[in-house]
């Protein structure tokens, strides 16, 4: 789970709301759920084979997490409301009534008083001086906050958004502009949130000119929000710029634990977007700086930043794996896993999905290290966790189970465990077909990939007819996908035609193989016309297969030597760079010799 920033409140936080009926009710409910969770956890440990106890643990913990979010909303909004009621001028009796209700903890009544009066004033279109308009905007803002803490309202968020908007229409200032942007952001309405963030940023910069101590931290916070938004939109270059600017501000501020934690989190985010924009040394440097800061924080506040440390280690592990630093990546994932397993004991609903994700990353890394037993164990652990989560919420986790089964099938296939690999792939295929019943256009590429892998297994185990059927089904799906997205899926179409051709030759169907190879070559030549560095080696691969076909299966000296030339011309720029090209080159030399031609003379004539 990724931490997100929240709007900071005053360091001197009042606590009158703690004695309110709302807060006390939430506290009592939390205590009740904690006891239920402890009992459910005890039962699940005592009777590990009873899946209902495991489901109970997740359901109760989900309720705990949702309740905690409510408590955080209440604490945050009521703190800001206490500050607002403390600074407004009580020029109207209704403000005094609203304040009295608020002080007594009767927040719905305070909301109703404000709602009635500000809506009445709006309907009567009362003319205000600029100062009065600002006061009216403050009241709309207070109404929005009171609405956010009234969980009895079915349209709580929509109403609050309406009141935030009305506050902005009345008079714009930093607090209402930023609050409205935050609510839109959390509701994933990014295009509406961004201009408000930009406006809030300008206001914060302007205020910081006369009060740096108050507004420079808030400016950094807004920059971080905007960076988060761009990251969510996969606009990584823009995100990097905002994260970097926020970080520079925090570095200039007097060091506190909060600012150090903000810097560490920003460096983790910065490393992520730098990785996504292929700035790998910069990403590693950012991760190392973040690691140093979290290590520093751990000395003074042990365990306070474990979630953030786990996220950082996971991100760094992915970077190390990308750089083929598999041993280092394994260590990072193992450290992240250890932390997440600890966190999952306290809140399985919150952390078990991250545990399963880390098991998967660890399995992929151990597979790269050729540690079959360890990788297999990691994938099985990931499956165990995802299946446990799916017992409570199938729609959220079934595709994760299918994805992990594919990882396991790939591992088993690499180690020639064909029966086990086929079983894993078939289980994954069954899940994707189940998911497609509700979403027919989703998971097509995953199904196509599994069918291709099943074709390879069935070919390797001599079941040519089944293999051809799998390849044909996979090919049809990839061709369908390539119509809408040729850049992504045409390479798969080319590879399927090549695989199909090889199978058809093995199956003594040379005419069909000839057609398949021609289709494959046509696709790869089309792709190579746009990107020769990537696709000319594939052109060479198909040409090798075709020159052998015309030597051994459909004897034709002319065609065989034609594709020898085609292969050499496509492969020439990559000699000495790609091991596969070296093998192709040796193969075509053998084919040349088989036609009783001197390879040196032949090559000289090309």
């Amino acid at each position: 789970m990724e931490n997100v920033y929240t709007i900071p409140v005053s360091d001197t936080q009042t606590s009158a709301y703690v004695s309110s009926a709302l807060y006390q009710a939430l506290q009592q409910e939390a205590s009740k759920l904690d006891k239920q969770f402890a009992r459910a956890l005890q039962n699940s440990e005592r009777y590990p084979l009873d899946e209902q106890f495991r489901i109970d643990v997740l359901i109760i913990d989900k309720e705990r997490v949702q309740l905690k979010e409510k408590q955080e909303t209440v604490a945050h909004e009521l703190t800001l409301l206490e500050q607002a009621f403390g600074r407004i001028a009580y020029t109207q009796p209704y403000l005094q009534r609203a304040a009295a209700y608020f002080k007594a903890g009767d927040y719905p009544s305070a909301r109703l008083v404000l709602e009635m009066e500000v809506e009445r004033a709006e309907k009567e279109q009362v003319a205000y001086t600029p100062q009065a308009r600002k006061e009216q905007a403050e009241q709309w803002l207070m109404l929005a906050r009171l609405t956010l803490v009234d969980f009895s309202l079915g349209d709580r968020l929509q109403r609050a958004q309406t009141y935030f908007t009305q506050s902005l229409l009345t008079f714009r200032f930093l607090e209402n502009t930023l609050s409205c942007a935050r609510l839109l952001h959390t509701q994933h309405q990014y295009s509406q949130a961004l201009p408000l963030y930009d406006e809030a940023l300008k206001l914060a910069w302007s205020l910081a000119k006369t009060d740096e101590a108050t507004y420079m931290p808030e400016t950094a916070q807004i920059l971080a929000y905007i960076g988060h938004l761009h990251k969510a939109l996969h606009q990584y270059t823009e995100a990097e710029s905002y994260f970097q600017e926020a970080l520079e501000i925090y570095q200039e501020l007097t060091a506190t634990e909060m600012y150090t934690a903000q810097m560490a989190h920003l460096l983790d985010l910065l490393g992520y977007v730098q990785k996504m924009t292929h700035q790998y040394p910069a990403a590693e440097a950012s991760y190392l700086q973040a690691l140093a800061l979290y290590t520093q924080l751990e000395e003074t506040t042990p365990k306070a930043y474990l979630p953030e440390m786990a996220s950082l280690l996971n991100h760094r592990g992915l970077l190390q794996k990308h750089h083929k630093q598999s041993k280092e990546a394994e260590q990072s994932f193992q450290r992240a896993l250890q932390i997440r397993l600890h966190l999952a004991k306290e809140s399985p609903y919150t952390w078990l999905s991250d545990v399963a994700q880390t098991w998967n990353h660890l399995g992929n890394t151990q597979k790269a290290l050729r540690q079959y037993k360890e990788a297999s164990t990691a994938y099985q652990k990931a499956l165990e966790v995802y299946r446990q989560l799916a017992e409570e919420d199938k729609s959220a986790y079934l595709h994760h189970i299918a994805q992990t089964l594919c990882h396991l099938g790939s591992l088993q296939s690499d180690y020639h465990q064909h029966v086990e690999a086929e079983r894993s792939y078939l289980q994954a295929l069954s899940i994707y077909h189940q998911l497609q019943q509700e979403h027919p256009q989703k998971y097509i590429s995953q199904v196509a990939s599994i069918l291709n892998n099943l074709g390879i297994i069935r070919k390797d185990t001599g079941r040519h007819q089944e293999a051809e059927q799998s390849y044909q089904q996979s090919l049809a799906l990839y061709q369908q996908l390539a119509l809408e997205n040729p850049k992504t899926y045409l390479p798969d179409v080319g590879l399927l035609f090549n695989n199909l051709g090889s199978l058809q030759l093995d199956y003594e169907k040379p005419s069909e193989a000839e057609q398949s190879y021609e289709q494959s070559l046509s696709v790869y030549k089309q792709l190579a016309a746009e990107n020769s560095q990537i696709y000319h080696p594939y052109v060479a691969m198909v040409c090798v297969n075709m020159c052998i076909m015309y030597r051994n299966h459909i004897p034709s000296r002319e065609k065989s030597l034609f594709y020898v030339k085609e292969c050499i011309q496509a492969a020439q720029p990559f000699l000495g760079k790609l091991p596969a090209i070296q093998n192709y080159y040796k193969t075509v030399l053998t084919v040349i010799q088989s036609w009783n031609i001197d390879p040196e003379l032949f090559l000289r004539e090309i």
Side-chain angles (χ1 to χ4, degrees):
M1 291 182 62
E2 180 181 323
N3 286 359
V4 294
Y5 289 88
T6 55
I7 300 172
V9 296
S10 169
D11 288 340
T12 311
Q13 189 168 329
T14 54
S15 57
Y17 68 82
V18 172
S19 59
S20 69
L22 171 63
Y23 196 81
Q24 287 298 313
L26 291 174
Q27 287 288 80
Q28 288 172 11
E29 190 177 349
S31 177
K32 178 182 173 183
L33 284 173
D34 285 343
K35 290 176 183 176
Q36 290 177 359
F37 175 75
R39 283 197 299 271
L41 191 62
Q42 188 178 44
N43 287 335
S44 71
E45 291 170 351
R46 186 178 297 170
Y47 308 104
L49 298 180
D50 191 327
E51 68 177 43
Q52 187 56 50
F53 286 133
R54 295 199 303 272
I55 295 172
D56 289 345
V57 167
L58 289 172
I59 290 173
I60 295 168
D61 193 41
K62 181 178 181 179
E63 292 177 22
R64 292 168 75 219
V65 170
Q66 292 170 342
L67 183 62
K68 185 179 178 182
E69 290 171 358
K70 277 187 181 181
Q71 288 176 300
E72 289 172 351
T73 297
V74 167
H76 182 258
E77 299 300 336
L78 293 185
T79 297
L80 291 172
L81 278 164
E82 284 178 358
Q83 295 171 5
F85 274 111
R87 67 174 175 258
I88 63 171
Y90 294 95
T91 55
Q92 300 292 335
Y94 74 86
L95 289 174
Q96 295 173 3
R97 291 201 311 276
Y101 281 128
F102 180 82
K103 189 174 181 181
D106 188 352
Y107 308 126
S109 295
R111 178 181 63 77
L112 287 171
V113 168
L114 277 179
E115 188 175 58
M116 209 164 33
E117 290 298 328
V118 295
E119 287 183 351
R120 179 194 59 77
E122 182 64 27
K123 286 177 183 176
E124 294 176 2
Q125 297 184 340
V126 178
Y128 292 111
T129 64
Q131 179 58 35
R133 282 172 54 225
K134 186 174 188 300
E135 290 174 3
Q136 190 73 1
E138 285 250 25
Q139 291 170 34
W140 280 112
L141 181 60
M142 293 161 70
L143 178 56
R145 297 200 187 287
L146 285 165
T147 303
L148 283 174
V149 299
D150 192 341
F151 297 101
S152 67
L153 299 172
D155 58 348
R156 177 178 65 94
L157 294 176
Q158 293 90 330
R159 279 205 208 186
Q161 183 58 59
T162 299
Y163 298 145
F164 278 130
T165 302
Q166 195 58 50
S167 177
L168 288 173
L169 291 172
T170 305
F171 191 91
R172 299 169 100 90
F173 54 99
L174 178 57
E175 187 179 347
N176 66 357
T177 306
L178 182 55
S179 295
C180 191
R182 285 299 296 142
L183 185 60
L184 289 166
H185 190 166
T186 57
Q187 298 300 304
H188 309 292
Q189 299 178 43
Y190 301 135
S191 60
Q192 294 172 264
L194 186 56
L196 289 174
Y197 273 140
D198 288 337
E199 188 177 341
L201 184 61
K202 290 175 185 175
L203 289 168
W205 277 122
S206 177
L207 291 165
K209 290 177 182 177
T210 55
D211 188 355
E212 283 192 7
T214 300
Y215 291 105
M216 283 308 288
E218 192 150 11
T219 301
Q221 189 85 76
I222 297 168
L223 287 164
Y225 289 147
I226 300 173
H228 270 287
L229 190 150
H230 283 296
K231 177 176 173 284
L233 292 170
H234 308 294
Q235 297 168 347
Y236 299 119
T237 301
E238 293 86 346
E240 180 184 9
S241 174
Y242 285 103
F243 288 146
Q244 189 68 58
E245 196 171 357
L247 182 63
E248 288 168 3
I249 291 175
Y250 281 123
Q251 288 169 336
E252 293 296 320
L253 297 172
T254 303
T256 65
E257 180 188 329
M258 182 177 74
Y259 294 158
T260 301
Q262 300 281 44
M263 283 192 291
H265 186 54
L266 278 167
L267 283 162
D268 184 11
L269 292 167
L270 195 57
Y272 178 86
V273 297
Q274 287 166 336
K275 175 183 177 289
M276 298 304 291
T277 51
H278 312 296
Q279 302 175 65
Y280 301 122
E284 173 66 2
S286 295
Y287 287 147
L288 284 173
Q289 289 179 64
L291 192 61
L293 289 176
Y294 281 132
T295 303
Q296 174 187 328
L297 288 166
E298 194 175 24
E299 293 175 0
T300 54
T301 50
K303 299 184 179 181
Y305 298 99
L306 286 179
E308 292 83 357
M309 177 68 91
S311 175
L312 170 60
L313 289 165
N314 188 63
H315 288 159
R316 190 174 180 223
L318 290 170
L319 178 67
Q320 290 165 327
K321 185 176 181 297
H322 179 84
H323 275 293
K324 314 294 184 193
Q325 298 171 336
S326 298
K327 204 65 193 172
E328 293 83 353
E330 183 183 26
Q331 293 171 1
S332 294
F333 289 135
Q334 285 173 335
R335 287 181 65 192
L337 181 63
Q338 184 180 12
I339 294 171
R340 285 174 166 173
L341 284 168
H342 169 76
L343 293 168
K345 290 178 181 178
E346 298 176 3
S347 180
Y349 176 78
T350 305
W351 295 107
L352 275 180
S353 61
D354 286 334
V355 167
Q357 178 201 63
T358 312
W359 276 122
N360 253 326
H361 290 327
L362 186 59
N364 292 338
T365 305
Q366 290 166 333
K367 179 173 180 267
L369 288 166
R370 301 186 182 279
Q371 299 174 2
Y372 170 79
K373 184 178 178 181
E374 291 83 352
S376 180
T377 299
Y379 290 142
Q380 295 288 359
K381 289 284 188 181
L383 280 173
E384 181 183 331
V385 175
Y386 279 135
R387 283 171 174 150
Q388 179 182 348
L389 290 166
E391 289 171 352
E392 193 273 329
D393 188 352
K394 281 189 178 181
S395 62
Y397 293 104
L398 275 181
H399 73 283
H400 289 295
I401 294 173
Q403 186 181 49
T404 306
L405 283 164
C406 288
H407 290 160
L408 182 60
S410 175
L411 175 72
Q412 291 161 335
S413 184
D414 286 352
Y415 283 83
H416 308 292
Q417 296 183 328
H418 300 304
V419 174
E420 293 84 353
E422 185 170 10
R423 186 186 303 122
S424 296
Y425 282 131
L426 285 172
Q427 288 179 33
L429 188 63
S430 175
I431 291 171
Y432 281 127
H433 283 156
Q434 180 183 339
L435 291 168
Q436 284 183 316
Q437 290 176 7
E438 292 187 14
H439 306 283
Q441 297 307 309
K442 286 187 74 175
Y443 308 111
I444 295 175
S445 63
Q446 289 90 338
V447 170
S449 175
I450 292 171
L451 288 167
N452 179 47
N453 291 331
L454 285 170
I456 293 169
I457 291 170
R458 288 162 177 172
K459 175 178 180 287
D460 290 345
T461 52
R463 294 143 60 199
H464 294 99
Q465 192 169 349
E466 291 178 66
E468 184 169 8
Q469 184 181 6
S470 297
Y471 281 147
Q472 292 284 13
Q473 290 173 342
S474 177
L475 177 60
L477 293 174
Y478 277 129
Q479 286 175 315
Q480 175 187 335
L481 291 165
L483 290 174
E484 295 183 4
N485 191 347
K487 187 175 180 181
T488 300
Y489 294 109
L490 264 183
D492 295 299
V493 172
L495 187 62
L496 256 298
F497 272 122
N498 179 74
N499 290 353
L500 195 54
S502 298
L503 174 70
Q504 288 162 335
L505 277 186
D506 290 348
Y507 199 33
E508 300 298 333
K509 297 166 73 173
S511 297
E512 289 88 339
E514 183 178 29
Q515 293 175 19
S516 297
Y517 280 140
E518 285 172 353
Q519 293 273 19
S520 179
L521 186 59
S522 174
V523 169
Y524 281 130
K525 281 188 172 182
Q526 177 185 338
L527 292 165
E530 296 184 8
N531 192 334
S532 61
Q533 290 296 308
I534 297 294
Y535 294 108
H536 263 144
Y538 289 95
V539 170
M541 173 189 74
V542 181
C543 287
V544 167
N545 291 335
M546 294 185 79
C547 77
I548 294 171
M549 177 182 67
Y550 286 118
R551 178 67 186 87
N552 299 332
H553 301 274
I554 312 175
S556 169
R557 175 188 173 97
E558 180 183 355
K559 289 184 177 180
S560 179
L561 294 176
F562 173 80
Y563 287 109
V564 165
K565 290 179 183 178
E566 290 264 295
C567 175
I568 291 171
Q569 288 168 352
Q572 194 70 41
F574 305 95
L575 279 173
K577 298 177 182 177
L578 298 175
I581 293 294
Q582 299 295 116
N583 293 331
Y584 300 158
Y585 208 74
K586 290 176 184 176
T587 301
V588 296
L589 291 178
T590 302
V591 172
I592 294 168
Q593 288 175 324
S594 73
W595 290 111
N596 297 317
I597 298 173
D598 185 335
E600 287 188 20
L601 290 175
F602 185 87
L603 294 174
R604 204 176 299 157
E605 290 174 3
I606 296 178

